[in-house]
Amino acid sequence: MSSKILADRLKEIIQGEVLIDSQTLEKYSRDASLFKVRPQVVVFPKNISDLEKIVNFTQQNKKEFPNLSITGRSAGTDMSGGAIGEGIILDFTKYFNHQEVDLERLRAIVGPGVYYRDFEKITLPEHVSMPVYPASKALAALGGMIMNNCGSENTLRYGQMRDFVEKIDVVLANGKEYTFKKLTMDELQSKMQKQDFEGEIYRRTFDLIDKNYDLIKSAKPKTMKNSSGYALWDVYDKENGTFDLTQLFIGAQGTLGIITDIKFKLVAKAKHSGVLVCFLKDMSKLGDIIN
């Protein structure tokens, strides 16, 4: 399928912009990695309906065009090539940039295209923040921060992005949007009883983790920072009776679905802070000092 044919067909079904000019394709063939992959088209989806139609279009044309793919992109600061692809690039920064901050409950609801620098302009004057962010926080957007499970110089204290996300809305492979959040076992049973795509996801994922629970838990990396994704060990918590599929999506680089909405926790700024400078004669003591 040529770029023009693909673009024309997408323009017929969605409201957002579809671009195939050389300048745009060249720009979106790179992110912050060393790689270069030229896409066929770049799309600025305008709403959920656009995303659902694009996913359905891709599924329906897979046999005829097996190389057709979808890659989500926000700021494009990923250093592993996660924001580039050969098929359709979805840029969320133009339309999916809504943000709502609840200062009383220390919660925020944002779109994947919200730049962190713009989000900070709302939170920092109110002495609250999202304390985990990449070194590229002046350039990065929250969609990418979720998808690579970012951390920061605050990670030892606060954890990673997965420790803050409470709910996500995601368009899945069947072209429909679903909400994922931490469930009780009763809520999980209700989900698994559904005879549809969502129910099948919960049944198969629970069965996989439950049958291999000890093995999966033992495989969890013993690190403060892990961005490998597919964190099966954090989905099902037998001890506390919870099941949280958000943990599977965070860090998965958009390979499991297209996130459209994110709810996460904030923290209040500490009343006092400072910097301690240490001079070491023996680097072997550094680990003890950090602890």
Side-chain angles (χ1 to χ4, degrees):
M1 176 183 289
S2 71
S3 293
K4 187 178 187 312
I5 294 174
L6 177 57
D8 289 343
R9 291 179 64 175
L10 288 173
K11 288 176 181 178
E12 293 175 357
I13 61 173
I14 69 170
Q15 299 178 41
E17 292 94 304
V18 181
L19 303 179
I20 58 169
D21 61 279
S22 297
Q23 184 177 355
T24 298
L25 296 183
E26 179 66 19
K27 173 184 175 181
Y28 284 86
S29 68
R30 293 186 181 277
D31 54 9
S33 70
L34 298 174
F35 310 111
K36 180 178 181 180
V37 180
R38 191 178 178 89
Q40 294 186 54
V41 298
V42 175
V43 177
F44 295 87
K46 200 167 189 176
N47 47 43
I48 306 299
S49 177
D50 275 2
L51 294 174
E52 292 175 340
K53 289 175 180 177
I54 290 170
V55 171
N56 285 326
F57 175 88
T58 303
Q59 292 285 24
Q60 292 164 7
N61 290 276
K62 268 293 184 182
K63 288 185 179 180
E64 186 177 358
F65 308 106
N67 294 326
L68 190 59
S69 62
I70 298 173
T71 302
R73 179 178 174 126
S74 292
T77 59
D78 186 76
M79 299 184 71
S80 63
I84 54 179
E86 297 176 319
I88 302 169
I89 297 290
L90 301 178
D91 187 322
F92 290 94
T93 57
K94 187 169 186 177
Y95 295 112
F96 283 79
N97 48 25
H98 56 279
Q99 48 187 319
E100 176 184 339
V101 176
D102 187 334
L103 296 173
E104 184 177 346
R105 293 181 175 84
L106 291 178
R107 297 294 186 274
I109 298 175
V110 303
V114 173
Y115 285 97
Y116 185 83
R117 61 176 182 261
D118 295 331
F119 182 73
E120 270 196 332
K121 291 177 183 177
I122 298 176
T123 59
L124 292 185
E126 302 295 338
H127 305 290
V128 300
S129 71
M130 157 55 69
V132 292
Y133 42 76
S136 60
K137 71 172 188 172
L139 305 172
L142 284 153
M145 291 167 61
I146 299 293
M147 284 306 188
N148 69 13
N149 186 33
C150 73
S152 71
E153 66 266 25
N154 298 317
T155 289
L156 288 176
R157 178 176 183 180
Y158 292 110
Q160 298 175 261
M161 181 61 79
R162 68 170 65 259
D163 299 306
F164 285 83
V165 174
E166 293 186 330
K167 181 177 74 70
I168 55 175
D169 294 338
V170 188
V171 175
L172 298 183
N174 67 337
K176 294 183 179 180
E177 185 186 45
Y178 299 91
T179 297
F180 294 100
K181 62 180 181 178
K182 183 179 290 186
L183 303 177
T184 65
M185 297 313 292
D186 287 341
E187 291 171 329
L188 173 62
Q189 288 298 325
S190 296
K191 290 288 188 182
M192 291 195 296
Q193 289 173 7
K194 299 179 69 173
Q195 299 303 310
D196 57 11
F197 188 75
E198 183 183 21
E200 182 181 6
I201 288 173
Y202 277 103
R203 286 191 299 273
R204 295 180 64 179
T205 308
F206 176 77
D207 184 61
L208 172 68
I209 300 176
D210 190 44
K211 287 181 177 179
N212 301 280
Y213 189 81
D214 292 336
L215 177 62
I216 290 171
K217 286 290 187 180
S218 68
K220 182 176 181 178
K222 295 178 175 60
T223 62
M224 290 297 296
K225 176 73 167 67
N226 173 34
S227 296
S228 62
Y230 295 90
L232 282 170
W233 41 76
D234 289 327
V235 174
Y236 180 26
D237 185 345
K238 278 188 178 181
E239 183 177 345
N240 294 307
T242 60
F243 194 84
D244 186 1
L245 278 181
T246 66
Q247 297 299 311
L248 200 57
F249 286 92
I250 299 167
Q253 292 284 27
T255 56
L256 299 178
I258 303 169
I259 290 184
T260 61
D261 198 65
I262 310 148
K263 179 182 179 182
F264 54 76
K265 297 182 288 186
L266 302 173
V267 299
K269 184 180 179 181
K271 291 184 179 180
H272 305 286
S273 65
V275 176
L276 176 65
V277 180
C278 298
F279 297 90
L280 303 182
K281 293 182 178 180
D282 183 358
M283 289 293 287
S284 67
K285 305 296 183 183
L286 183 58
D288 294 332
I289 291 174
I290 291 174
N291 288 334

